[in-house]
C-alpha cells in the first residue's frame, strides 16, 4: 500500500491537492492511505517551505504547487517500483 501525505494548513489549495491525489490513485487502481497533515512541526520536518506539500512513501515530491493528476500518478507508480 502506498502512503500519501498532503501537507498544509487546510486551505483551498491543500484540499485541491488531496482531490488530485485521490484522482491519481483511482486512475491507477492502487490502494493508498491518504493522510492530511496540518501540524506545522510535521510539515516543517518534511522540509516544506511552501504549502501545499505532497509526500509519497515518506519522500517529498512536491511543494508549493498543485501538480496534475497524471504527474501524481507517475510519482505513485515510481514509488511502488
Amino acid at each position: 500500500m502506498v502512503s500519501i501525505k498532503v501537507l498544509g494548513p487546510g486551505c483551498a489549495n491543500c484540499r485541491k491537492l488531496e482531490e488530485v491525489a485521490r484522482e491519481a490513485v483511482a486512475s491507477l487502481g492502487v490502494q493508498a492511505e491518504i493522510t492530511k497533515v496540518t501540524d506545522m512541526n510535521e510539515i516543517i520536518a518534511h522540509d516544506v517551505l511552501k504549502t501545499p506539500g505532497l509526500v509519497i512513501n515518506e519522500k517529498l515530491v512536491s511543494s508549493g504547487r498543485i501538480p496534475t493528476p497524471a504527474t501524481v500518478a507517475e510519482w505513485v507508480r515510481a514509488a511502488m517500483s
Side-chain angles (χ1 to χ4, degrees):
M1 181 185 290
V2 180
S3 166
I4 299 175
K5 293 180 181 177
V6 177
L7 311 177
C11 62
N13 284 342
C14 300
R15 290 191 298 274
K16 178 64 178 168
L17 181 55
E18 182 184 5
E19 288 174 28
V20 167
R22 290 188 187 282
E23 188 178 327
V25 167
S27 73
L28 291 173
V30 298
Q31 285 196 326
E33 178 183 9
I34 299 177
T35 310
K36 287 165 60 171
V37 177
T38 57
D39 179 55
M40 285 310 290
N41 290 329
E42 189 172 346
I43 292 169
I44 292 168
H46 284 287
D47 292 329
V48 172
L49 300 176
K50 211 170 171 196
T51 59
L54 187 66
V55 174
I56 299 176
N57 287 349
E58 296 305 316
K59 180 182 176 203
L60 180 67
V61 294
S62 176
S63 172
R65 65 188 186 98
I66 301 173
T68 65
T71 301
V72 175
E74 285 177 31
W75 293 334
V76 170
R77 213 176 288 118
M80 291 171 31
S81 60

